[in-house]
Amino acid sequence: MTSFSPGFRGRARSLVDRLPPGQYPTESFPVLSAGPTPRVATDAWTFTVTTERGETHAWSWDRMMGLPQQDTVQDIHCVTRWSKFDTRWRGVALDVFLEDVETVAHHAVVDSHGGYTTNLALEDLLDGKAWIVHSYDGYPLSPEHGGPARLLVPHLYLWKSAKWVRGLRLTTEDEPGFWESVGYHNHGDPWREQRTWGD
Ligand SMILES: Nc1nc2c(c(=O)[nH]1)N[C@H]1C(S)=C(S)[C@@H](COP(=O)(O)O)O[C@H]1N2
Ligand SMILES: [Mo]
């Protein structure tokens, strides 16, 4: 009797379905940084949300760690064409930071130590689509990958997932960030191959 393994076939097909156009899967975890790796101590770390009226809400490391934590398993996609399946992160959903923030803004600019910025529509940060993560695969996030904490927005190309995150500025106008202002797509949806301005 011939026997098939429907489990294997099913999983293989679903991985193909999970690969956005123009991407290839990788098992490794490449490091892509536009400059040197900042070293940020957790006792000096703060995450600051600034509203369009200039009000600030700030979380120390301990306060952030005291917020409801989520474990999330995500596929991530870099515009340089590698994708990595089933990456495991732990952190706090952006919804938690923003729930008590009064704003009429629809945009945000995320700021990092070292000067990197990236812009996002607020709707791409809310409803369980984005996290401030501090752990990867069960360990504290390494400095190379953005530790002590980075933004994770897995449904967009990974340049939106700012490493060494320090704050988020809510804006009424959309302001392009570091890569967006030199030709990367403003939104960066990997499923629509939004790599550069013309896409
Ligand atoms: N602060 C900061 N965040 C950043 C970057 C950067 O240069 N500086 N590079 C971005 C880009 S282009 C990518 S692909 C991912 C890479 O994350 P990784 O190095 O953990 O793979 O981080 C993004 N976040
Ligand atoms: Mo990237």
Side-chain angles (χ1 to χ4, degrees):
M1 220 167 88
T2 315
S3 84
F4 295 98
S5 172
F8 176 76
R9 226 175 32 190
R11 189 154 38 135
R13 182 178 296 116
S14 80
L15 283 184
V16 169
D17 290 344
R18 284 159 56 186
L19 194 63
Q23 298 291 111
Y24 66 86
T26 183
E27 295 284 325
S28 73
F29 194 173
V31 170
L32 283 105
S33 304
T37 295
R39 305 283 157 163
V40 183
T42 54
D43 56 12
W45 186 89
T46 53
F47 179 66
T48 305
V49 173
T50 308
T51 73
E52 72 279 7
R53 294 189 313 287
E55 291 172 1
T56 59
H57 304 252
W59 288 263
S60 66
W61 185 263
D62 289 347
R63 225 183 127 206
M64 183 272 290
M65 293 302 267
L67 296 173
Q69 304 289 316
Q70 270 184 358
D71 291 297
T72 184
V73 180
Q74 298 289 338
D75 300 343
I76 55 177
H77 312 289
C78 175
V79 73
T80 62
R81 299 188 182 272
W82 58 266
S83 290
K84 188 170 173 59
F85 295 124
D86 293 322
T87 61
R88 295 173 52 230
W89 308 85
R90 184 171 175 82
V92 177
L94 259 292
D95 302 272
V96 175
F97 293 99
L98 293 171
E99 66 188 355
D100 292 328
V101 174
E102 268 184 53
T103 183
V104 297
H106 293 290
H107 306 276
V109 177
V110 179
D111 286 305
S112 295
H113 292 275
Y116 187 86
T117 59
T118 187
N119 59 308
L120 296 112
L122 203 46
E123 63 171 4
D124 282 314
L125 290 172
L126 296 176
D127 297 322
K129 293 198 288 288
W131 295 263
I132 301 295
V133 291
H134 51 75
S135 300
Y136 174 75
D137 218 10
Y139 291 92
L141 185 59
S142 68
E144 290 72 21
H145 287 299
R150 76 183 295 169
L151 182 67
L152 177 68
V153 193
H155 73 287
L156 300 177
Y157 283 125
L158 206 56
W159 85 76
K160 297 284 187 182
S161 294
K163 304 197 280 190
W164 317 296
V165 67
R166 63 189 307 204
L168 182 154
R169 205 154 44 80
L170 296 164
T171 59
T172 48
E173 304 286 321
D174 196 11
E175 296 174 24
F178 179 82
W179 285 119
E180 293 84 1
S181 61
V182 294
Y184 279 35
H185 197 277
N186 196 56
H187 185 225
D189 181 347
W191 295 98
R192 292 195 262 167
E193 273 209 275
Q194 295 175 335
R195 297 178 191 273
T196 58
W197 279 352
D199 294 335

